[in-house]
Amino acid sequence: MSPHYSVPDRVSAGSSNICPTMADYHRVHAESMAHPDAFWLGITKELVEWETPPTIGLEGGYAGIADEQFTWYEDGRLNATISCLDRHLATRADKTAILWEGDEPGDVRRISYSQLHADVCRFSNALENLGVGSGDRVIIYMGMVPEAAIAMLACARIGAIHSVVFGGFSADSLANRVLDSGSRCIITMDEGLRAGKAIPLKATTDEAVAMVEDELAGQSGAGVETVVVLKRTGGQIDWVEGRDIWWSDACEGQLDSHQAHIVSAEHPLFILYTSGSTGTPKGQVHSHGGYITYTAFTHRTVFDLREDDVFACVADVGWITGHSYIVYGPLANGATTFMFESTPLYPDAGRYWDMVERHKFTIFYTAPTAIRALAAQGDEFVAKYDRSSLRVLGTVGEPINPEAWEWYWHTVGEGRCTIVDTWWQTETGGICISPIAPATPVVGGSATLPLPGIQPRLFSAEGEMLEGEAEGLLCIEHPWPGQTRTIWDDHPRYVETYFSTIDGYYFTGDGCRRDENGYYWITGRVDDVINVSGHRMGTAEFEAVLVEHEAIAEAGVVGFPHDIKGQGVHAFLILAAPSKTGTAGDEDGQGDGTSGYSDELGQALNQLCRRRIGAHARIDRFCVIPGLPKTRSGKVMRRILRKVAEGDPGNLGDISTLAEPAVVEAIVNAEVHG
Ligand code: WTA
């Protein structure tokens, strides 16, 4: 495909002006590599408000990671919310900080910087009054309302560490996160609202707290002491006296000013749980100084931010994209940031473009899965709205296929807007590989070039660094300020996950190709993480849930390409012997182990996934097989399952090390349900 070139020669005066031209980009990138400390100290002094500005850049590195975390700006002191709120009062008090649209079109709130500052201060005082203090962990389990952002900022302001749990997660998942983080306060709401449906957030919180109590039974002084409840729908909820308190009552009589608690640069700002290839979700820890620097820097650089922009990132604050590019990055830059409670298809597929017309978004940031879903609904939903305000269009979360990219470019952007395909991860804190709008020449499907401060490296499976045009494992050399420092309460797992694959480099878990122009093309996860509609899920999480069911002896779960969702979930099931269940097994009596599936079983398994993980964890396809393909040492060869699920069974590679090569034929021939 021939590249689409957008205005190549300058960014506007309103942007950071870091890379007006590609020559500047290459110069700045080289400088950031040659003198990283000077580069990042300069950036943070320009973009962040410090109580005590740092004189130290990076301390430590990947080499000593097993023994010690690396740090950025170690001698600096600040509170990230001062950069997001207080400093804008002098120049932007009346500017809209948060522009919110509720579930119903036209239900709009505009919160100015002075109002947001007051609201955050009031809630900070409320939290302190409830006994929450610096270093305490607080779970935020809410829908997309401005109070979710206010809750995050209030926690940060008092030095508490928030952990936002996406509102789609189940009571089990919520309870696990409460337990892992040791949170004693949960902020939730009566009900969320999405596409006309109420989501029982308080009821799920009650269920989760009961699970936590069971788990901690007998341990004095532990458990959830406070549940703050925001009223959204007024729906019926249960109430536990002494533990539950309405948001409005907690704020009653509290002052609307609050002195931010100054912390060291490395003080944790938040924990956000992500799925990995093994076991339970990992609590990624981000810090005040590095994270706020990196999100502010990347937000203004990548999107060519201008003072009068209306920046619309339609992610959920329950994921990292919402943290970095709805809340922290835009507010640190004094931008108007949009928050959206509903879905792209409610009440119809024109919702985004209707809002573009009404709110005059200038920058719009979404996920490829939404683009594909909307493209499938036809162009008329786009065409009937005026999109002339749009200047920059962004994507994140998964590789974007050329068809979706072309539709975004032509149909949505009318060939006029720059598209930034931004590659990054929860672990990276902010965007790492992306065009810089509008300077970088873009080509559909490529995240193009690394931002200043980022040095991608590709490695072969054998651990050899690949130069020039190549495809391999994507790693990043040298730490940057936005990177997670550890996994909450499990530093060894952090070291093992990210630093044991390629010695001395951060391993991303992604595969990647570098073309002849040095452009990067992300090919997808190479580990056992599946990316469904931009939601990261571990295959091991599914497998653990499936074998809980009495009919299932073993399970192997892999992703497969899906037209809308990017990846779908395919489960290979080995049924328990009839003696375990009394029902399952070979009903046809053939003894090949590939029948015994019923729609009821599939539904029961999906209900279990929903209950244990969340509403977004749904298996698309099942097939029953006689056994998993294992090596003689008992390791499952997932490559074989993946190839079969991808519909490429002719290309299984070497299967000579399998304990039972015959099982492969049964897997290839197994009937697929769903
Ligand atoms: C994938 C989301 C291709 C990738 C911010 C990564 C992408 C995972 C892109 C992180 C992109 C994200 N092109 N793939 N532009 N952006 N990914 O932690 O596999 O939810 O490792 O962070 O999403 O997902 P996470």
Side-chain angles (χ1 to χ4, degrees):
M1 189 193 306
S2 64
H4 291 286
Y5 291 92
S6 47
V7 185
D9 59 359
R10 64 173 199 94
V11 275
S12 73
S15 78
S16 67
N17 257 331
I18 286 173
C19 299
T21 69
M22 286 314 279
D24 293 312
Y25 160 76
H26 289 294
R27 179 180 49 76
V28 174
H29 190 269
E31 264 172 36
S32 73
M33 289 297 112
H35 307 288
D37 281 356
F39 177 77
W40 287 117
L41 283 167
I43 295 286
T44 202
K45 282 175 193 158
E46 189 189 330
L47 303 184
V48 171
E49 198 73 19
W50 291 84
E51 171 91 4
T52 310
T55 62
I56 301 171
L58 175 69
E59 286 274 272
Y62 298 157
I65 196 78
D67 304 315
E68 213 172 2
Q69 297 176 20
F70 58 83
T71 62
W72 280 95
Y73 310 129
E74 200 175 61
D75 60 343
R77 295 183 63 78
L78 80 168
N79 182 294
T81 69
I82 295 176
S83 289
C84 297
L85 301 169
D86 305 55
R87 68 155 155 184
H88 302 312
L89 295 180
T91 51
R92 301 186 175 100
D94 297 328
K95 178 175 177 174
T96 300
I98 297 180
L99 166 63
W100 175 84
E101 180 153 317
D103 197 38
E104 293 303 323
D107 179 12
V108 172
R109 281 168 68 185
R110 286 188 180 80
I111 302 175
S112 67
Y113 270 95
S114 65
Q115 184 67 46
L116 184 63
H117 176 264
D119 288 348
V120 171
C121 286
R122 200 174 295 111
F123 196 58
S124 300
N125 288 319
L127 285 176
E128 283 181 338
N129 187 47
L130 290 167
V132 182
S134 182
D136 290 347
R137 279 79 63 205
V138 176
I139 295 280
I140 300 175
Y141 184 62
M142 301 176 85
M144 284 293 288
V145 289
E147 284 78 4
I150 292 169
M152 291 162 75
L153 292 163
C155 288
R157 195 164 179 89
I158 65 174
I161 304 164
H162 62 71
S163 184
V164 183
V165 177
F166 171 59
F169 275 115
S170 67
D172 278 76
S173 292
L174 179 57
N176 288 336
R177 286 155 174 78
V178 172
L179 285 165
D180 189 81
S181 61
S183 295
R184 295 160 75 167
C185 175
I186 302 179
I187 305 169
T188 186
M189 45 208 261
D190 53 355
E191 293 176 317
L193 208 51
R194 264 189 117 225
K197 280 213 312 256
I199 298 154
L201 295 171
K202 173 63 163 65
T204 307
T205 301
D206 290 343
E207 213 186 311
V209 173
M211 290 175 184
V212 169
E213 275 165 9
D214 282 353
E215 189 70 29
L216 297 177
Q219 295 181 32
S220 66
V224 176
E225 293 167 351
T226 311
V227 177
V228 183
V229 188
L230 178 81
K231 186 175 277 185
R232 170 73 182 99
T233 64
Q236 173 63 37
I237 54 169
D238 291 339
W239 200 258
V240 177
E241 282 306 330
R243 185 198 74 185
D244 299 351
I245 180 165
W246 287 110
W247 176 293
S248 54
D249 290 342
C251 289
E252 184 71 40
Q254 297 297 338
L255 292 179
D256 61 5
S257 61
H258 175 277
Q259 192 94 43
H261 182 74
I262 302 297
V263 294
S264 71
E266 282 294 322
H267 187 81
L269 176 60
F270 65 84
I271 303 170
L272 185 62
Y273 286 86
T274 50
S275 296
S277 36
T278 51
T280 50
K282 306 186 281 267
Q284 304 289 341
V285 181
H286 281 288
S287 62
H288 271 252
Y291 178 80
I292 201 69
T293 302
Y294 197 67
T295 51
F297 169 69
T298 51
H299 176 248
R300 66 168 56 204
T301 302
V302 167
F303 297 101
D304 177 33
L305 188 72
R306 304 176 190 190
E307 187 60 46
D308 54 359
D309 271 326
V310 182
F311 180 83
C313 166
V314 289
D316 191 288
V317 284
W319 310 111
I320 191 68
T321 307
H323 284 62
S324 299
Y325 299 112
I326 295 175
V327 181
Y328 287 105
L331 295 178
N333 287 326
T336 294
T337 185
F338 179 69
M339 241 180 129
F340 183 43
E341 189 179 36
S342 195
T343 77
L345 295 170
Y346 184 76
D348 64 35
R351 183 66 184 272
Y352 281 163
W353 325 120
D354 173 26
M355 296 193 301
V356 170
E357 178 177 298
R358 283 188 287 113
H359 299 306
K360 308 231 176 322
F361 298 153
T362 53
I363 307 172
F364 183 76
Y365 193 28
T366 189
T369 188
I371 298 168
R372 287 190 295 266
L374 293 174
Q377 303 280 324
D379 295 357
E380 59 280 9
F381 285 106
V382 188
K384 68 179 177 197
Y385 297 105
D386 175 15
R387 284 131 26 244
S388 57
S389 59
L390 290 172
R391 194 179 78 247
V392 181
L393 299 171
T395 74
V396 58
E398 33 168 342
I400 181 162
N401 49 310
E403 298 75 23
W405 195 95
E406 289 286 328
W407 187 81
Y408 207 28
W409 171 271
H410 288 295
T411 306
V412 176
E414 302 171 305
R416 181 175 40 77
C417 304
T418 306
I419 296 189
V420 288
D421 175 354
T422 66
W423 176 88
W424 59 293
Q425 312 177 292
T426 307
E427 294 88 337
T428 70
I431 299 166
C432 289
I433 305 179
S434 168
I436 293 176
T440 311
V442 290
V443 49
S446 172
T448 73
L449 298 166
L451 294 187
I454 302 295
Q455 182 60 68
R457 298 283 185 201
L458 301 183
F459 285 85
S460 70
E462 292 70 40
E464 228 179 289
M465 195 191 288
L466 307 169
E467 305 286 348
E469 245 184 288
E471 181 164 346
L473 307 176
L474 177 63
C475 293
I476 303 179
E477 187 175 324
H478 196 276
W480 63 99
Q483 193 173 15
T484 43
R485 304 294 192 262
T486 188
I487 290 172
W488 182 258
D489 209 18
D490 199 351
H491 194 65
R493 191 167 171 207
Y494 172 78
V495 175
E496 164 68 23
T497 308
Y498 305 110
F499 300 97
S500 69
T501 307
I502 305 292
D503 205 25
Y505 293 82
Y506 166 72
F507 173 51
T508 64
D510 280 333
C512 183
R513 180 168 71 82
R514 186 169 47 219
D515 72 13
E516 68 278 15
N517 299 314
Y519 274 28
Y520 290 86
W521 302 70
I522 309 297
T523 54
R525 301 289 305 197
V526 294
D527 56 6
D528 294 318
V529 169
I530 0 189
N531 191 333
V532 181
S533 302
H535 297 165
R536 255 171 90 163
M537 283 178 283
T539 53
E541 286 175 72
F542 278 104
E543 288 162 5
V545 173
L546 291 173
V547 297
E548 274 183 35
H549 193 281
E550 58 173 8
I552 308 302
E554 272 188 289
V557 171
V558 293
F560 69 91
H562 188 285
D563 282 349
I564 302 285
K565 299 195 281 189
Q567 279 192 296
V569 185
H570 188 130
F572 291 89
L573 307 172
I574 290 94
L575 300 183
S579 57
K580 177 179 169 190
T581 67
T583 53
D586 279 351
E587 280 154 17
D588 63 1
Q590 298 302 301
D592 63 356
T594 61
S595 60
Y597 177 85
S598 65
D599 288 341
E600 293 74 46
L601 178 62
Q603 281 160 16
L605 294 174
N606 262 329
Q607 265 164 27
L608 200 57
C609 290
R610 193 186 173 92
R611 197 159 81 230
R612 290 281 185 261
I613 305 173
H616 56 296
R618 198 176 167 283
I619 295 168
D620 301 276
R621 294 179 181 167
F622 293 95
C623 60
V624 174
I625 57 173
L628 290 171
K630 289 183 187 167
T631 61
R632 274 174 226 111
S633 57
K635 198 167 153 13
V636 177
M637 281 176 83
R638 302 181 148 276
R639 168 171 59 86
I640 292 178
L641 298 178
R642 235 180 265 134
K643 286 283 178 199
V644 172
E646 285 167 6
D648 189 18
N651 193 11
L652 296 181
D654 180 14
I655 55 167
S656 61
T657 56
L658 283 178
E660 285 182 77
V663 87
V664 171
E665 198 184 324
I667 294 173
V668 170
N669 294 326
E671 195 184 336
V672 179
H673 305 272

